[in-house]
Amino acid sequence: SHHCFSLEQINGVPTHFSLISSPSLSEPLSWILIHFLGSVELLSLSATSFPLLLSRLIFLLFSLSIQEEVLARMRSPFSLKQEFLKKWILGLQRCRSSKKNMSIFERKKVIKLSADVAMASARKGTTCWSRALIAYAVKEGNADKHLAEKILGPASERQPTEKVTVGAMAYNKRIRSKKILKRSSVIRRTIKCAPQAARPSSTVKRLVGKRRQILRSLIPGGEFMNGVSLIEETLDYIISLRAQVDVMRSLASASKLVNLN
Amino acid sequence: MSGRRSGSAVSSISDDQITHLVFKLQQLIPELCARRSHKASSSKVLQETCDYIRNLHKEIEDLSDRLSQLLASIDTDNDQAAIVRSLLM
C-alpha cells in the first residue's frame, strides 16, 4: 500500500496526523494528499472534534480508494466515477433542506434517485439510456417528478438533453431521432437512438424474441432501441451501473466505519 | 464483401458488428467471463445480460437502503460534502 497514516497522541488525545505518500504516486493524487493534510493540521484537535476528524479521514480514504483503484486500472471509468460522485453529492445537497425531518423511506428514495440521475447526467447526453432516464424522471405524471427536478437543479445548470416522449407516434420518433443525430454530429460521437435498419438478417434474428424484449424493458428508453444500438446502449449501461455500485458500496463501507466509532 | 451491393451488404456488416458487440458484452458479464476464449451463444449472452442487469439494480436498491440507515446517524451536511468536493475539483 502506498499510503501510511500515523497518529500521534498525547494522553490519549490525538494531536497529529501524518500522511506519508510514496513518490510513485501520480501528481494529482499527491496534491490531494498535501491539500488535505494542510487542512487537517489547521484543525485544533480536542476530544470532541475527533469523531469529526475521523469521519473526514474516512472520506479521504474513500475517495483515495476510488482513485487508487482506477489509477491501477488506467481506464476511462476514472472520470466516470468522479463525475458521478460529484453530481450525486450536488444532488443530495439540493435536497438537504428537507432532509432533516425525512423518514427513512423518503431518505432512501432521495439517495437512490439522486444516484440514478447523477449517473445518467454523468454521461452528458451522449447515450440514449441516460437521456431517457432523465426524461422519465421529470415526466408529467411521475410521482417523484418534483424530487427529480430538485435534484437536477435549476434548468440553467442542466445538461441539454433531447426530450424523449414515451409512446410517441413513429413519425415523431423519426423526426426527433434526426434532430438528435444532427446535434450529435456537431458535438461529439454519440450513440444513435433511432432504430437501425429494420430488415432482420440471420444474425439479428438471434436477437429477437422474448429475451430481447426483456432486455429492452430493463434499459431506460429501451423501447426505442434496436439491433446494434440496443447492444451498444447495453454495454454502456452496464459499465455505468457497475461504476455506480462501486461508488455507493465504497461510501457505505466508509460510513459504516464512522458509525462503529 | 466489398463487391456486394444493397440490402445483403448492409446486413452482413451488421452481422459482424452485432457478433462483435455480443462478444464484448460477454466479456463484461462475470458469469461468462471465464469462458473468454469461447464465444457463448447470443441467446445465452442475452439471458445472462438480463440477469446481470437485474442483479445490479437489486444491489443499488440494497445499497440505497443501507445508506439511508447509515447516513441518518452521521452529519452529512456541509462538512464532508465540502471536503469531498474540494478533493474532487
Side-chain angles (χ1 to χ4, degrees):
Chain A
S1 152
H2 294 289
H3 319 295
C4 299
F5 298 91
S6 81
L7 179 63
E8 289 167 23
Q9 301 181 53
I10 295 177
N11 298 331
V13 176
T15 55
H16 187 71
F17 267 111
S18 301
L19 285 167
I20 304 153
S21 57
S22 127
S24 62
L25 277 180
S26 71
E27 229 195 70
L29 204 47
S30 309
W31 182 88
I32 288 174
L33 283 170
I34 292 165
H35 179 80
F36 186 75
L37 183 58
S39 66
V40 164
E41 283 177 331
L42 285 174
L43 278 179
S44 58
L45 292 171
S46 66
T48 50
S49 70
F50 181 64
L52 178 62
L53 188 61
L54 185 62
S55 61
R56 289 185 178 189
L57 194 60
I58 297 300
F59 271 90
L60 169 68
L61 287 172
F62 152 60
S63 51
L64 279 180
S65 66
I66 293 181
Q67 305 254 16
E68 244 196 295
E69 176 195 311
V70 294
L71 275 176
R73 284 196 217 160
M74 297 298 264
R75 292 187 69 206
S76 55
F78 175 63
S79 53
L80 179 62
K81 283 184 182 178
Q82 262 195 337
E83 197 63 31
F84 163 66
L85 181 60
K86 200 161 72 176
K87 295 200 154 137
W88 187 23
I89 289 181
L90 282 173
L92 284 171
Q93 282 201 309
R94 290 190 177 117
C95 301
R96 205 195 323 137
S97 53
S98 44
K99 235 163 119 178
K100 304 276 178 167
N101 301 319
M102 253 187 226
S103 68
I104 262 200
F105 177 71
E106 269 294 308
R107 201 179 297 120
K108 181 212 160 161
K109 206 175 4 167
V110 170
I111 287 174
K112 180 171 191 301
L113 186 58
S114 54
D116 291 343
V117 162
M119 184 45 88
S121 154
R123 300 320 274 127
K124 298 191 176 154
T126 55
T127 56
C128 189
W129 72 262
S130 55
R131 292 192 295 265
L133 193 152
I134 293 177
Y136 290 147
V138 298
K139 189 167 176 276
E140 278 304 322
N142 184 333
D144 297 319
K145 175 179 151 85
H146 297 291
L147 182 60
E149 288 184 329
K150 208 196 278 192
I151 289 170
L152 281 165
S156 52
E157 286 180 27
R158 292 186 204 174
Q159 299 283 343
T161 55
E162 195 73 9
K163 213 173 162 198
V164 176
T165 58
V166 185
M169 304 267 292
Y171 176 75
N172 287 336
K173 255 193 242 174
R174 254 176 248 126
I175 297 293
R176 206 168 298 112
S177 312
K178 283 200 190 130
K179 283 196 195 149
I180 293 173
L181 285 175
K182 233 198 212 173
R183 186 186 287 222
S184 56
S185 66
V186 172
I187 300 171
R188 50 187 164 225
R189 187 185 74 85
T190 56
I191 295 173
K192 285 183 206 166
C193 202
Q196 299 290 315
R199 241 164 295 164
S201 70
S202 54
T203 315
V204 178
K205 244 198 244 167
R206 280 193 250 152
L207 298 179
V208 301
K210 215 186 345 175
R211 289 210 185 91
R212 192 183 73 149
Q213 280 305 107
I214 295 175
L215 183 60
R216 283 162 110 187
S217 71
L218 286 171
I219 301 180
E223 55 265 37
F224 297 128
M225 301 172 200
N226 222 331
V228 169
S229 71
L230 176 60
I231 307 183
E232 285 177 333
E233 290 282 329
T234 305
L235 284 167
D236 191 83
Y237 187 54
I238 289 181
I239 288 171
S240 305
L241 280 180
R242 291 204 322 197
Q244 187 178 339
V245 164
D246 282 349
V247 173
M248 289 176 84
R249 197 185 288 138
S250 301
L251 184 58
S253 314
S255 307
K256 217 159 118 185
L257 281 170
V258 175
N259 286 343
L260 284 176
N261 281 285
Chain B
M1 206 157 29
S2 53
R4 284 196 224 148
R5 301 258 148 103
S6 76
S8 53
V10 172
S11 51
S12 76
I13 290 170
S14 291
D15 268 7
D16 288 343
Q17 251 189 313
I18 290 186
T19 313
H20 177 65
L21 286 173
V22 168
F23 186 56
K24 274 173 94 168
L25 203 48
Q26 180 183 337
Q27 291 172 320
L28 264 189
I29 299 169
E31 286 294 312
L32 303 172
C33 227
R35 295 199 257 143
R36 212 180 258 196
S37 47
H38 310 295
K39 284 190 188 170
S41 72
S42 304
S43 58
K44 180 92 171 108
V45 173
L46 269 192
Q47 184 191 325
E48 292 297 330
T49 302
C50 295
D51 288 342
Y52 190 44
I53 293 181
R54 272 191 277 247
N55 285 341
L56 289 171
H57 284 167
K58 176 105 196 354
E59 261 203 273
I60 291 177
E61 281 282 333
D62 292 344
L63 282 167
S64 303
D65 260 325
R66 272 172 68 190
L67 282 170
S68 65
Q69 289 163 10
L70 290 168
L71 294 179
S73 38
I74 60 171
D75 177 3
T76 53
D77 271 3
N78 317 316
D79 268 353
Q80 278 91 343
I83 289 199
V84 178
R85 269 202 298 168
S86 70
L87 289 175
L88 292 174
M89 299 184 192

